[in-house]
């Protein structure tokens, strides 16, 4: 029997919340949920791979249904197989997805392709009968490390949310085992943000570190003003101060902020990553890279990005992806990334970990579930199973 993809299904789901960062609110936020249905049966069940796109970029139903899914479904199934002929080859599927696509100008297609790519890798690992992180480690001749660092992302602006509520939120993350927490800045005047930061730092004390995220809001003058204010605090990082493609701003900011900075979640290709490294003044001894495979053409492209980083002297351990999803957890455990973002209270059921997985001293331990492990998260798998059936 030739392994085949028999269907690719998509549904656009709301992940709305009355929160905002410095740039957008999430009252209309959506995400695409994708099922890649194969003709393979394991343990009496059809193997289905699942994927979805990260928050912050909207669902891509039109592109997925009308353009990318059709290319895969119309392809000769044999052209999508690995050398053994017993499984799909994600790289060949990716090449089929990108047929007749011009380079550059990534737009929203990087999200559509990344969502399908996630589902393909899930299916491939399930067909192999292995957790994805172990499959990746084997493919790259590495030792898998199931223990992954995670931090808690929150601290959004919220109607009626004062500093006492912000402090309570951050204390809640510490109570759940996190030792790094993140909050938003740039959506209020600098002095107000200073007060918010000091309130959180007072709450967490020496129990945790604080990261701050401006979501690309600042021009250079404002970014520098914030840098001068922030450098007086022991922050974990200062994230995405300016437009993600403004490499000159990022490079100039390094002169004013000696502590760690982070960016990259809104860069969608290995070429973008290379330009950031070459022209953005990023420092491999302290800064962090946040490329998110679900938004940037998937793991196939993320592997190219890791090759670019290696060429320029960066370790995968300086990568902590945006998105808070289990796909990046598997990549972190399998390929030695520095960790992963998580959203303990937001964008559910798509964020978080499989049932029973707990955060201990800022780390989780990956369970040995086939594929990405979505089936271990009951609220998420309920939605996925409905799409597949």
């Amino acid at each position: 029997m030739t392994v085949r993809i028999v269907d690719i299904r998509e549904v656009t789901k709301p992940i709305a919340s009355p929160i905002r960062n410095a740039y957008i609110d999430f009252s209309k936020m959506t995400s695409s949920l994708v099922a890649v249905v194969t003709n393979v049966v394991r343990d009496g069940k059809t193997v289905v791979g699942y994927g979805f796109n990260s928050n912050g970029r909207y669902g891509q139903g039109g592109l997925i249904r009308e353009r990318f899914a059709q290319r895969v479904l119309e392809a000769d199934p044999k052209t999508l197989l690995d050398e053994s002929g017993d499984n799909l080859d994600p790289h060949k599927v990716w090449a089929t997805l990108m047929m007749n696509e011009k380079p550059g100008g990534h737009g929203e297609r990087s999200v559509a392709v990344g969502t399908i790519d996630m589902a393909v890798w899930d299916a491939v690992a399930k067909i192999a009968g292995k957790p994805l992180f172990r499959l990746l480690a084997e493919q790259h001749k590495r030792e898998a490390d199931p223990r992954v660092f995670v931090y808690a992302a929150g601290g959004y602006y919220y109607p009626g949310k004062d500093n006492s509520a912000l402090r309570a939120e951050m204390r809640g993350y510490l109570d759940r085992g996190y030792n790094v927490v993140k909050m938003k800045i740039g959506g209020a005047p600098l002095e107000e943000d200073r007060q918010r930061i000091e309130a959180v730092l007072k709450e967490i004390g020496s129990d945790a570190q604080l990261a701050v995220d401006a979501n690309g809001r600042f021009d250079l003058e404002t970014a520098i003003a914030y840098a001068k204010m922030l450098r007086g605090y022991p922050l974990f990082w200062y994230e995405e101060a300016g437009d993600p493609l403004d490499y000159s701003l990022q490079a100039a900011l390094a002169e004013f902020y000696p502590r760690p900075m982070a960016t990259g979640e809104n860069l969608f290709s290995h070429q973008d990553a290379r330009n950031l490294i070459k022209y953005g003044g990023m420092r491999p001894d302290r800064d962090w890279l946040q490329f998110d495979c679900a938004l940037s053409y998937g793991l196939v492209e993320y592997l190219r990005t890791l090759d670019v980083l290696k060429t320029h002297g960066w370790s995968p351990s300086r990568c902590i992806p945006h998105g808070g999803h289990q796909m990046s957890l598997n990549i972190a455990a399998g390929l030695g990334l520095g960790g992963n973002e998580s959203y303990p209270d937001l964008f559910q059921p798509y964020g978080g970990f499989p049932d029973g997985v707990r955060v201990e001293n800022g780390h989780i331990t990956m369970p040995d579930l086939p594929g990405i492990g979505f089936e271990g998260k009951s609220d998420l798998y309920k939605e996925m199973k409905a799409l597949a059936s």
Side-chain angles (χ1 to χ4, degrees):
M1 179 189 73
T2 300
V3 176
R4 295 178 59 242
I5 294 174
V6 299
D7 200 6
I8 298 177
R9 303 172 188 171
E10 186 276 345
V11 62
T12 301
K13 291 282 191 175
I15 52 171
S17 183
I19 59 174
R20 65 178 179 90
N21 59 32
Y23 230 113
I24 64 172
D25 72 64
F26 289 80
S27 60
K28 303 291 185 183
M29 188 58 58
T30 60
S31 179
S32 280
L33 176 61
V34 165
V36 170
V37 184
T38 76
N39 66 337
V40 179
V41 176
R42 291 285 184 269
D43 298 323
K45 298 180 180 179
T46 299
V47 171
V48 181
Y50 298 103
F52 54 87
N53 65 273
S54 302
N55 66 82
R57 298 282 164 173
Y58 296 89
Q60 303 297 317
L63 286 175
I64 291 170
R65 293 190 301 269
E66 298 169 14
R67 189 153 118 210
F68 293 106
Q70 292 306 309
R71 291 176 184 163
V72 175
L73 296 174
E74 292 169 2
D76 180 345
K78 294 180 180 178
T79 66
L80 305 178
L81 301 181
D82 63 13
E83 291 183 359
S84 73
D86 297 327
N87 206 334
L88 299 166
D89 184 330
H91 299 267
K92 292 180 179 178
V93 177
W94 192 93
T96 300
L97 287 166
M98 290 296 290
M99 288 176 59
N100 295 322
E101 294 287 330
K102 293 178 70 175
H106 307 294
E108 299 291 278
R109 74 178 181 189
S110 64
V111 182
V113 173
T115 303
I116 297 173
D117 178 89
M118 184 190 296
V120 170
W121 282 98
D122 187 35
V124 165
K126 288 173 180 172
I127 292 171
K130 300 175 181 179
L132 178 58
F133 74 91
R134 297 201 182 279
L135 180 66
L136 291 175
E138 290 175 9
Q139 290 179 348
H140 294 268
K141 297 178 172 57
R142 297 179 53 93
E143 186 73 29
D145 184 358
R147 191 169 181 265
V148 180
F149 164 73
V150 291
Y151 72 89
Y156 286 81
Y157 299 97
Y158 188 95
K161 184 177 184 178
D162 60 13
N163 287 350
S164 62
L166 179 62
R167 291 179 62 163
E169 177 191 355
M170 296 300 168
R171 172 53 57 183
Y173 299 147
L174 270 58
D175 290 344
R176 280 179 272 185
Y178 292 94
N179 56 22
V180 175
V181 296
K182 187 170 82 175
M183 62 179 282
K184 302 299 184 179
I185 60 171
L190 184 149
E191 188 55 39
E192 183 178 334
D193 274 340
R194 183 203 303 270
Q195 294 172 14
R196 295 171 66 246
I197 289 167
E198 290 182 350
V200 171
L201 289 173
K202 184 177 181 179
E203 180 64 39
I204 66 177
S206 61
D207 295 333
Q209 285 185 276
L210 174 65
V212 297
D213 180 5
N215 289 104
R217 176 78 272 180
F218 301 148
D219 58 19
L220 180 58
E221 181 180 356
T222 309
I224 291 172
Y226 266 79
K228 291 178 177 178
M229 179 267 287
L230 295 172
R231 65 192 182 192
Y233 303 108
L235 300 181
F236 191 73
W237 69 46
Y238 174 17
E239 178 178 340
E240 204 172 43
D243 187 287
L245 291 174
D246 194 342
Y247 304 127
S248 62
L249 182 153
Q250 185 65 40
L253 192 59
E255 299 179 21
F256 296 90
Y257 194 75
R259 295 182 180 275
M261 290 189 286
T263 192
E265 72 178 67
N266 289 303
L267 300 180
F268 300 146
S269 69
H270 74 274
Q271 294 93 341
D272 285 343
R274 182 171 58 220
N275 285 336
L276 174 65
I277 297 306
K278 291 180 68 174
Y279 306 116
M282 300 295 285
R283 304 155 297 187
D285 65 323
R286 74 197 78 169
D287 292 336
W288 300 94
L289 304 172
Q290 300 169 302
F291 314 117
D292 179 352
C293 69
L295 303 181
S296 54
Y297 294 105
L299 175 54
V300 170
E301 179 69 4
Y302 197 89
L303 292 170
R304 298 188 185 106
T305 296
L306 292 179
D307 286 341
V308 165
L309 299 183
K310 182 179 180 181
T311 299
H312 288 83
W314 282 73
S315 167
S317 65
R318 302 310 300 176
C319 295
I320 298 181
H322 162 271
H325 48 74
Q326 290 172 251
M327 179 67 173
S328 287
L329 281 172
N330 276 270
I331 299 173
L335 299 182
L337 306 188
N340 198 39
E341 185 172 34
S342 73
Y343 296 95
D345 298 321
L346 297 168
F347 312 121
Q348 296 302 323
Y350 300 95
F353 319 115
D355 300 341
V357 172
R358 297 288 178 264
V359 181
E360 297 180 358
N361 193 28
H363 292 72
I364 62 98
T365 299
M366 299 287 288
D368 274 317
L369 297 170
I372 296 173
F374 294 134
E375 285 78 1
K377 193 172 190 295
S378 57
D379 56 351
L380 176 56
Y381 185 54
K382 181 179 179 181
E383 293 199 10
M384 291 176 162
K385 189 175 181 181
L387 177 60
S389 60

